[in-house]
Amino acid sequence: MTEGENARLIAWSHELRSVHARLREALRATRAALDDGEPAEAATRDLLLYCHGFCVALTEHHVGEERLLFPAIAAAHPELADTLRYLSQDHSMIDHLVSGLQAATQRAAPRSEIDQHLEGIAAIMESHFGYEERQLLSVLDTLALSADPHDVLGPL
């Protein structure tokens, strides 16, 4: 393996950690939009923009993993089938929670309801990211996958 190939392989673990960090930051920005204390109409408009960006980024991240990353891992590491199945279940749960948040922001739900949605997403997202990183980072260091990181891990 050449030095360039080794750098590309190791970059997948770096890319995953980097995307997770940016998604965490997007969630913080969404929460900050709520905490600004602007008039309800302006805060709701801003929250819709933040939530839309965050929700799209999180969803696209999971879609890319399901479509490209997980099949490549499964082919190279069949012993991780249960781990990948568990992560896919998390993706479904997060998607359900994101849909609830989107619906709540679109109908200008009360702040307490929006907070509940964000808390649920944050809790599952943190648990999911931590588990995914513990289980897959070393695998990603050796994974031969020639694809655009944007396609594999989402727009962040």
Side-chain angles (χ1 to χ4, degrees):
M1 177 179 316
T2 70
E3 185 177 324
E5 289 171 332
N6 190 39
R8 177 65 256 168
L9 293 173
I10 293 172
W12 281 113
S13 63
H14 173 75
E15 292 283 346
L16 183 67
R17 280 191 303 259
S18 179
V19 168
H20 285 177
R22 289 190 299 255
L23 285 167
R24 287 177 177 113
E25 182 55 37
L27 181 60
R28 280 191 288 278
T30 301
R31 297 200 69 126
L34 267 180
D35 294 337
D36 280 346
E38 296 178 37
E41 185 177 311
T44 300
R45 183 181 62 245
D46 289 346
L47 182 60
L48 278 168
L49 289 173
Y50 280 112
C51 286
H52 179 72
F54 167 71
C55 292
V56 166
L58 184 60
T59 299
E60 288 300 311
H61 170 64
H62 291 154
V63 165
E65 284 182 334
E66 296 279 341
R67 187 171 31 89
L68 296 167
L69 186 62
F70 288 2
I73 292 171
H77 297 276
E79 72 279 7
L80 291 174
D82 288 341
T83 297
L84 297 174
R85 192 170 18 266
Y86 177 78
L87 290 168
S88 292
Q89 289 171 345
D90 274 1
H91 289 172
S92 291
M93 186 183 320
I94 291 169
D95 186 53
H96 175 73
L97 294 170
V98 164
S99 295
L101 174 62
Q102 288 173 316
T105 56
Q106 288 171 351
R107 64 178 163 74
R111 165 76 191 260
S112 60
E113 184 180 335
I114 299 290
D115 278 341
Q116 286 178 324
H117 286 287
L118 288 173
E119 284 298 318
I121 290 170
I124 299 299
M125 191 176 87
E126 257 327 298
S127 171
H128 174 78
F129 287 174
Y131 180 76
E132 187 171 57
E133 290 173 6
R134 284 189 308 277
Q135 298 298 314
L136 300 184
L137 287 183
S138 62
V139 169
L140 292 176
D141 284 344
T142 62
L143 186 67
L145 175 63
S146 46
D148 183 336
H150 180 274
D151 294 336
V152 176
L153 298 173
L156 292 178

